């Protein structure tokens, strides 16, 4: 048996539970003796039997769990430019956020008279049309919120649930109910109930959580940079007094 150690830089972790999830997934791999995931540093260190498990298998298991993994060299240097990768991920999140923010604002303005019962002279009647809200909300639900659907699906495949599962369930319920009320309003009118829609709620929830992800990604990057700067202050050699003699270690 040949025990080896490898460290991966992890992308996509959004909470401490993500680190626990990765540890649980890797712990189930045959050949892995130990695994430690550092959420702040966004790294996973794995001890494994090289004769029964390859680096690529570990990397694939992390990917199947919904996270990215980049191997680090013995000097802690990643095989790809992590700063560029992080910047690209942040830009992608920002694009989704701004699309969601603009559409959510339009939906909130258009639905304000219906929600409050107050008529606003500067809000045209067509902005409150349910079909108009359906058309605007659909890209927010499935493009801006696509990241949540992908990760929720992978969580279900693992037989678990996480925050993405909660977001998908909540927004899909609001969106799906609103679609039924828009397409089949007679189902409600026949019962003497006016059909209500909650498109703006689904869009706003997704938008606000995307904003949280953007801010979180920025904070984690600053934390990781600060930790790396502290590690750079460490002294490489030290003098140890052993048996009355100084030994450099």
């Amino acid at each position: 048996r040949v025990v080896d150690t490898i460290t991966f830089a992890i992308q996509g972790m959004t909470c401490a539970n993500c680190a626990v999830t990765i540890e649980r997934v890797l712990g189930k791999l045959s050949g892995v003796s130990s695994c430690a995931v550092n959420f702040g540093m966004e790294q996973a260190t794995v001890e494994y039997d090289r004769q029964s498990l390859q680096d690529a298998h570990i990397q694939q298991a992390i990917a199947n769990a919904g996270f990215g993994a980049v191997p680090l060299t013995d000097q802690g240097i990643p095989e790809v430019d992590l700063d560029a990768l992080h910047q690209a991920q942040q830009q992608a999140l920002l694009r989704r956020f701004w699309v969601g923010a603009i559409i959510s604002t339009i939906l909130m303005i258009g639905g304000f008279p219906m929600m409050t019962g107050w008529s606003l002279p500067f809000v045209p009647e067509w902005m409150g049309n349910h079909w108009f809200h359906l058309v605007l909300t659909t890209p927010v639900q499935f493009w801006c919120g696509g990241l949540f659907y992908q990760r929720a699906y992978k969580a279900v495949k693992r037989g678990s649930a996480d925050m993405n599962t909660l977001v998908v369930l909540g927004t899909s319920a609001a969106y799906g109910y609103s679609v039924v009320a828009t397409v089949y309003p007679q189902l409600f009118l026949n019962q003497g109930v006016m059909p209500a829609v909650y498109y703006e709620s689904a869009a706003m929830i997704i938008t606000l959580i995307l904003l949280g992800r953007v801010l979180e990604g920025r904070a984690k990057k600053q934390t990781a940079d600060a930790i790396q700067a502290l590690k750079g202050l460490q002294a490489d050699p030290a003098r140890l007094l052993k048996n009355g003699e100084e030994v450099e270690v």
Side-chain angles (χ1 to χ4, degrees):
R1 179 176 179 179
V2 180
V3 177
D4 203 351
T5 301
I6 187 171
T7 300
F8 293 93
I10 306 296
Q11 291 90 45
M13 291 194 296
T14 58
C15 62
N17 186 60
C18 294
V20 174
T21 298
I22 296 173
E23 289 180 349
R24 187 183 301 119
V25 168
L26 295 182
K28 293 179 180 179
L29 292 178
S30 177
V32 172
S33 55
S34 70
C35 172
V37 180
N38 187 316
F39 175 63
M41 286 290 293
E42 296 187 300
Q43 291 183 0
T45 302
V46 185
E47 290 186 355
Y48 66 104
D49 181 7
R50 183 174 287 277
Q51 292 179 336
S52 60
L53 192 64
Q54 300 298 317
D55 298 353
H57 297 154
I58 301 175
Q59 194 171 4
Q60 185 59 48
I62 297 174
N64 292 340
F67 306 93
V70 177
L72 302 181
T73 64
D74 294 338
Q75 292 75 33
I77 301 173
E79 296 180 355
V80 299
D81 188 347
L82 290 181
D83 287 337
L85 187 59
H86 178 269
Q87 186 67 21
Q89 292 173 343
Q90 284 292 96
Q91 290 297 325
L93 279 176
L94 274 173
R95 283 193 295 270
R96 293 172 187 259
F97 163 71
W98 282 117
V99 170
I102 293 170
I103 292 178
S104 295
T105 301
I106 297 173
L107 292 171
M108 292 294 290
I109 294 174
F112 186 80
M114 182 184 65
M115 290 185 289
T116 63
W118 299 346
S119 61
L120 300 177
F122 60 87
V123 178
E125 186 176 347
W126 57 264
M127 284 190 68
N129 183 275
H130 292 179
W131 285 97
F132 176 68
H133 284 207
L134 170 60
V135 171
L136 285 183
T137 307
T138 299
V140 177
Q141 185 71 32
F142 297 108
W143 182 72
C144 298
L147 181 65
F148 305 126
Y149 279 93
Q150 294 170 10
R151 292 184 176 175
Y153 172 71
K154 291 183 177 181
V156 171
K157 286 181 63 178
R158 297 194 306 269
S160 63
D162 55 16
M163 179 182 173
N164 299 292
T165 312
L166 181 62
V167 173
V168 167
L169 286 175
T171 59
S172 296
Y175 177 82
Y177 178 89
S178 301
V179 170
V180 173
T182 300
V183 179
Y184 304 106
Q186 290 300 324
L187 293 177
F188 301 87
L189 296 175
N190 291 339
Q191 303 298 321
V193 179
M194 286 297 295
V197 295
Y198 302 94
Y199 292 117
E200 74 287 338
S201 300
M204 187 61 73
I205 289 171
I206 289 174
T207 300
L208 290 176
I209 295 178
L210 284 173
L211 175 60
R213 293 284 172 92
V214 170
L215 297 177
E216 183 181 53
R218 185 179 301 172
K220 284 197 301 182
K221 180 65 168 60
Q222 293 172 347
T223 300
D225 290 344
I227 293 175
Q228 289 291 351
L230 286 174
K231 288 175 65 177
L233 298 177
Q234 285 182 306
D236 291 331
R239 288 195 297 274
L240 174 67
L241 187 61
K242 187 175 182 180
N243 298 327
E245 296 183 0
E246 286 188 0
V247 181
E248 189 173 270
V249 295

